Amino acid sequence: MPIRALDAYIKEKYLLNKEFVSSLAGTRLGIDANYWLRNLTRAKHEVRLAPLGATLPATLRRLIETDVAWMRAKGITPLVVFTGIKIPRDAPFKGEHARIDSRSAAWDMYAAGRHGSAGSNWAATGAPFYDMFPFVMHVLSELGVEFLRAPYSAWAQLAYLANHPAQPVHAVYAGTDVFMFGVDRVVTELDSANTTAGATFTWVDRAAVLASLGLSRSQFLDACILAGFDWIETYTPLVSDPNWQFTWPTLASLFQTLGLGLAIIQNIHDDASRFTYPDKFARVRCAVKHHLVLTTSGTIAPLEPASAPADLHEVFGPRPPAHAVRALVHGGVGPSLINSAAFAALYEMAPMCNGETPEFHAWVRRWAQSLVDAANAMVGAWDPRWAANTRSVALRPWFLVPPPPNPHPPQHVDVAPAFNLSPWSVGKAWIEKYVGGASEVSLAKCVLALAASDEAAAETVGSPVAEADQARDQLLALTIFKLLELRGFVDSTTHRLTPWGRVLATSLAPTDPAPLAESLLIQCELLRDNLLHGHAHSKTYAGTGPLAGAESSLDPTTRAHITLLTRAACALEPVPAIPAVAWDGPVDRNLLTHASFVKHAARALHDAADAMLVHSLFPSAAVKIGVAEFPQIAARVPFAGLPGAAGDKSATMGVVLREFLVGGDAELTRLAAFLADPKADVDRVRTLVDGKLVPLAANAASAGLVDPKVADAIRDAAAWWAKREGRAAPVPVVAVKEAARSGNSNGGRTRNGGSAGGRPRKASEHSSGANTNGGGHPVGAAAPWDEELTAAEIEAFAKREAAAAAAPVVVEKPTPQQQGQQGKDGGHGHGHGHGHKQGGGGSGGRGGRGGKGGKKHRK
């Protein structure tokens, strides 16, 4: 959210300046990545991507390449700056319920045939741009464009670069927010659509704005905070009086009368803001004036260091160590779990399906445990304050936040780390011996290396191999092994594969590409949580695709087969047409619900993989990894958010398969306008189902990990598809026998008394001695979807499952205003923050909350 009404005021007062782009020739242009992407995609926003759940527009690469080529042709050298760790926000869930309502309204509009209106609603609630950052960094790296991720805000980093005596950048392309940080002039628009010599750019001079308002620089900063921007809400008394309309001239007049922002707060207030707002104001002002940036010497230091308070850690959290900063700023890892560890909170925003089912709520709660464990492992050897922050992390999901107006205090779930990762001794020699060479490291080959012999696993037990010249592939192998251990595919003591690990290994081949291997791991996650089946979730929606009517006329068994197969297909991605064309095909809200499980798992696994990479990175070796190598490492980390990898999951492939199974080849011909080869995409799903998923489920059932009826349903769906096409039905080879009945059917670590990676079992399941699968159902007993249940019974079951998986809910203390009585200002407060997936489009982001603000912030 830009500074409230400032851009409109600048336009109204004719403070926008235009010049020919030729005057920028020979300059280094510092670019705010978020602002650039917003302008880049605004005119060609692919509105159908939102209902499919995709993060990356199919045309994004082409847009980036075209814009970069235009800048280079005009003699401009771009330096793109991405946002890193996000400081606490005043209202992290602001607008979240409005976005949820807007998406629901969009589906109603779409069903009514108002596709244009539906598209506008979807476009306004799509994925935030920082979800695209890993892919954008990857493309920029391929294009040879320089970029960096700011340790904290890109605005402050750009201000530092622009004002440095050496002038690493000569001009800044960003929003007017950068004026708060000391940028004197900002480029707000580039006419990149114009390839002629007459192309122009628009810029704004801060001095002209201040002169127009009659404000000093210090007063202008105070005014921006009171007006509200992305970090803080508008000061309520300025907008709550119906007789007083907020405008910048009116706000400026208050400063001319009262002088300072704090004076305005003291003289104009209401009961709701009287006690809480002064501390919020002081914290944000401190965060702007003394924001932490990456210096030219490679250290992190505050802006205006001479006057910076000693307790900046109260605003920014403890500072990451140098090796983690190096990996972060050069694009090796993302900031998500660093953010969660810094502020002891994990934020979850609603997915594009709105996450309305109890099953999804329970899924989010269960995954929080692995994310907290990963964050705790990552920071365990850092400053003790980091470890203290992860002893209890507050899970703050959207579904525990009451819709506005908030009559009840917010709630959260406290999550404590459940275990510590074991040390891994994996050096170059081990990789050469068991994986096949440094360039061969992949998820599939690492799993198969442990499956090949007990000797391979035994040699990895012990202290880490402290090689000063840590190779990229050694780092990647350690990341993969620790991720597998974190999710219960590898035993912590012996480093042998657990039953789930052996099941995964039976479906993998050494030549499997990363997207396929990662998709199979996600299928394992879905299987052990009983989410891969052909029956309806606890909440369903009327069909929205053009073939929905034809599909509804099918018999229940056929519909169940199609549902299961299309859900399995959501773990893969189709290949877009070249040149990429915006998707304008069918959509499916029910498939989007399932795709949200897949997407959430992929995101969580990537966040955890980033944490494992930092955990595995030797500080002495980090400085020897070249700047250009970090993006290459990031591209090979499991579940990287790149097209064709498991990081950008959507319902698109499921929709493609549904159109084929219901409408035949004619529907694939229609979809060829958007996809490179729809028939080849269907072939990939067929290979996944017949060659991978059927044996995966059969071996999981044989090992006692899932209900045999689940495996039977997958096999029957594959057989139905094969019979329909005149093919032989797939016959699974069972290689994993039933696990030893030792109280833990998964054979890995247990969390909260449950199976590794699954939900905590109910007390009755423990006491009965029954062998259970990862989802808690006794093996051999009918799963709830094997019977014909009413909608009410299905919903009741889902609610019981969610209750069984849920951790205790903590209700935060109500504010004095909520109690109906006045509070007492103790001189400190709590701010709330967000991670790289939080806020904006509301697509499952995570982040952190701030601690207490020290008195020095008021100076």
Side-chain angles (χ1 to χ4, degrees):
M1 180 183 76
I3 300 169
R4 183 179 186 129
L6 181 60
D7 290 344
Y9 173 80
I10 291 172
K11 184 176 181 181
E12 177 188 341
K13 295 299 181 179
Y14 301 100
L15 298 175
L16 295 173
N17 305 282
K18 278 201 173 185
E19 288 188 36
F20 290 115
V21 171
S22 56
S23 61
L24 290 178
T27 64
R28 288 173 56 84
L29 182 64
I31 298 175
D32 175 5
N34 202 66
Y35 186 82
W36 178 47
L37 290 172
R38 183 184 299 114
N39 290 338
L40 199 62
T41 59
R42 180 185 297 160
K44 299 180 179 180
H45 193 82
E46 299 176 57
V47 296
R48 295 291 181 87
L49 281 171
L52 290 171
T55 297
L56 302 174
T59 57
L60 183 57
R61 174 184 284 272
R62 188 178 68 192
L63 292 173
I64 294 172
E65 291 173 343
T66 302
D67 224 47
V68 168
W70 179 87
M71 282 187 266
R72 285 173 167 168
K74 301 299 181 183
I76 301 170
T77 302
L79 170 61
V80 184
V81 180
F82 297 84
T83 292
I85 301 169
K86 297 198 172 186
I87 69 167
R89 286 180 60 185
D90 179 30
F93 288 98
K94 179 184 178 182
E96 185 64 10
H97 289 285
R99 284 188 286 271
I100 291 172
D101 292 342
S102 183
R103 293 187 200 115
S104 296
W107 283 106
D108 293 338
M109 294 171 186
Y110 189 87
R114 298 163 55 197
H115 294 183
S117 299
S120 298
N121 276 34
W122 280 324
T125 61
F129 290 108
Y130 43 75
D131 276 358
M132 306 176 188
F133 285 178
F135 171 69
V136 177
M137 289 180 179
H138 178 70
V139 175
L140 293 176
S141 180
E142 290 184 339
L143 296 176
V145 174
E146 193 175 354
F147 69 87
L148 67 87
R149 192 197 300 273
Y152 293 89
S153 171
W155 296 331
Q157 189 66 47
L158 285 166
Y160 171 82
L161 295 174
N163 294 328
H164 193 275
Q167 280 199 298
V169 300
H170 304 107
V172 172
Y173 176 40
T176 51
D177 312 75
V178 296
F179 282 158
M180 292 184 289
F181 296 85
V183 173
D184 291 325
R185 297 177 183 84
V186 61
V187 176
T188 58
E189 186 178 350
L190 291 171
D191 186 18
S192 58
N194 188 346
T195 58
T196 70
T200 61
F201 70 96
T202 303
W203 61 279
V204 183
D205 182 14
R206 183 177 63 157
V209 175
L210 268 58
S212 174
L213 291 168
L215 299 177
S216 67
R217 292 184 179 184
S218 179
Q219 288 175 324
F220 178 72
L221 172 57
D222 287 359
C224 290
I225 298 172
L226 291 172
F229 64 105
D230 190 51
W231 294 359
I232 190 169
E233 301 248 25
T234 303
Y235 185 44
T236 305
L238 299 182
V239 292
S240 58
D241 187 347
N243 299 317
W244 196 88
Q245 185 177 3
F246 176 89
T247 64
W248 269 88
T250 306
L251 182 58
S253 68
L254 293 177
F255 279 91
Q256 290 160 6
T257 302
L258 297 172
L260 299 174
L262 281 176
I264 294 174
I265 296 169
Q266 291 167 357
N267 285 273
I268 304 174
H269 57 76
D270 54 25
D271 290 340
S273 60
R274 180 179 180 184
F275 300 107
T276 59
Y277 189 83
D279 188 72
K280 293 178 182 178
F281 177 89
R283 289 172 62 85
V284 172
R285 198 175 199 283
C286 176
V288 173
K289 284 183 63 65
H290 307 295
H291 205 88
L292 297 179
V293 297
L294 181 71
T295 67
T296 54
S297 60
T299 60
I300 293 180
L303 297 173
E304 300 187 22
S307 59
D311 58 351
L312 281 178
H313 62 275
E314 297 287 355
V315 175
F316 297 97
R319 299 187 195 181
H323 70 285
V325 170
R326 183 170 171 80
L328 177 69
V329 300
H330 295 306
V333 297
S336 180
L337 290 188
I338 298 178
N339 221 120
S340 297
F343 303 111
L346 188 65
Y347 286 91
E348 288 283 359
M349 300 296 161
M352 289 308 300
C353 72
N354 283 343
E356 297 174 333
T357 63
E359 299 99 300
F360 196 83
H361 297 179
W363 173 267
V364 168
R365 294 174 190 251
R366 288 195 289 270
W367 274 93
Q369 183 64 67
S370 278
L371 292 170
V372 171
D373 288 338
N376 181 63
M378 174 180 62
V379 305
W382 296 2
D383 185 299
R385 287 176 293 185
W386 284 94
N389 282 358
T390 58
R391 287 173 191 156
S392 180
V393 176
L395 170 64
R396 299 178 183 274
W398 80 97
F399 54 82
L400 291 181
V401 178
N406 292 342
H408 305 292
Q411 301 175 345
H412 69 268
V413 177
D414 282 331
V415 183
F419 69 97
N420 292 318
L421 287 173
S422 62
W424 284 78
S425 178
V426 177
K428 298 176 184 177
W430 189 95
I431 293 173
E432 192 73 32
K433 181 178 179 181
Y434 293 107
V435 178
S439 61
E440 302 296 321
V441 174
S442 67
L443 176 61
K445 290 192 175 182
C446 284
V447 172
L448 293 174
L450 295 181
S453 69
D454 291 343
E455 179 186 13
E459 290 183 18
T460 66
V461 178
S463 300
V465 179
E467 298 175 358
D469 187 20
Q470 188 179 31
R472 289 185 310 181
D473 295 281
Q474 180 193 8
L475 180 60
L476 185 63
L478 286 168
T479 299
I480 292 172
F481 285 134
K482 291 176 182 180
L483 180 65
L484 292 170
E485 180 188 350
L486 179 75
R487 291 304 300 160
F489 291 95
V490 173
D491 182 77
S492 294
T493 303
T494 65
H495 288 182
R496 296 176 184 175
L497 296 178
T498 63
W500 268 116
R502 294 198 297 274
V503 165
L504 176 62
T506 60
S507 296
L508 290 173
T511 56
D512 283 344
L516 180 57
E518 292 165 6
S519 297
L520 286 172
L521 193 148
I522 290 178
Q523 304 287 17
C524 284
E525 300 284 6
L526 294 169
L527 278 171
R528 63 179 171 187
D529 268 5
N530 289 329
L531 289 169
L532 189 58
H533 54 77
H535 297 266
H537 292 298
S538 58
K539 183 169 184 177
T540 58
Y541 308 92
T544 50
L547 297 179
E551 185 178 350
S552 62
S553 66
L554 301 173
D555 64 271
T557 301
T558 301
R559 284 204 306 272
H561 290 331
I562 292 175
T563 299
L564 195 156
L565 292 169
T566 54
R567 286 176 178 174
C570 289
L572 295 176
E573 297 175 52
V575 179
I578 300 177
V581 177
W583 177 267
D584 195 28
V587 296
D588 190 312
R589 194 174 184 182
N590 291 306
L591 266 180
L592 178 60
T593 299
H594 182 78
S596 294
F597 287 101
V598 178
K599 192 175 192 73
H600 184 275
R603 279 175 164 168
L605 286 164
H606 183 254
D607 287 345
D610 274 351
M612 297 301 95
L613 188 149
V614 176
H615 181 262
S616 305
L617 182 61
F618 297 138
S620 59
V623 295
K624 297 184 179 181
I625 297 178
V627 170
E629 289 184 283
F630 277 110
Q632 298 171 9
I633 294 172
R636 293 181 61 189
V637 168
F639 305 96
L642 309 179
D648 186 32
K649 293 305 180 187
S650 72
T652 310
M653 188 69 102
V655 168
V656 171
L657 183 62
R658 185 199 67 184
E659 299 300 290
F660 169 71
L661 293 177
V662 178
D665 289 338
E667 293 303 316
L668 293 186
T669 301
R670 187 168 62 88
L671 295 178
F674 319 111
L675 304 175
D677 190 345
K679 289 186 178 181
D681 290 330
V682 171
D683 289 342
R684 289 169 54 215
V685 179
R686 190 182 293 109
T687 300
L688 169 70
V689 172
D690 289 359
K692 303 292 186 179
L693 186 56
V694 170
L696 182 79
N699 279 286
S702 175
L705 302 176
V706 301
D707 192 320
K709 293 188 177 182
V710 174
D712 291 345
I714 294 173
R715 182 199 60 205
D716 292 345
W720 168 83
W721 187 5
K723 182 178 179 181
R724 185 175 181 271
E725 296 181 337
R727 297 181 287 107
V731 179
V733 176
V734 177
V736 181
K737 303 303 180 182
E738 186 168 352
R741 298 176 182 246
S742 59
N744 175 17
S745 62
N746 282 341
R749 289 185 316 276
T750 59
R751 304 183 182 91
N752 303 323
S755 56
R759 68 157 175 81
R761 297 181 189 169
K762 302 175 184 177
S764 60
E765 294 169 355
H766 285 291
S767 61
S768 66
N771 187 26
T772 61
N773 59 32
H777 299 291
V779 172
W785 49 78
D786 289 317
E787 304 171 8
E788 291 296 328
L789 302 179
T790 66
E793 288 172 325
I794 293 175
E795 184 176 1
F797 165 76
K799 289 181 178 178
R800 290 196 300 272
E801 289 290 280
V809 174
V810 178
V811 181
E812 296 181 357
K813 293 181 180 180
T815 64
Q817 291 74 28
Q818 291 166 328
Q819 291 176 325
Q821 57 187 342
Q822 291 185 344
K824 185 177 182 181
D825 185 4
H828 65 266
H830 294 276
H832 298 276
H834 63 296
H836 75 100
K837 299 177 181 167
Q838 180 264 333
S843 57
R846 306 181 182 92
R849 62 179 170 84
K852 296 181 179 179
K855 293 182 179 179
K856 292 186 180 180
H857 298 157
R858 301 186 184 279
K859 291 184 178 180

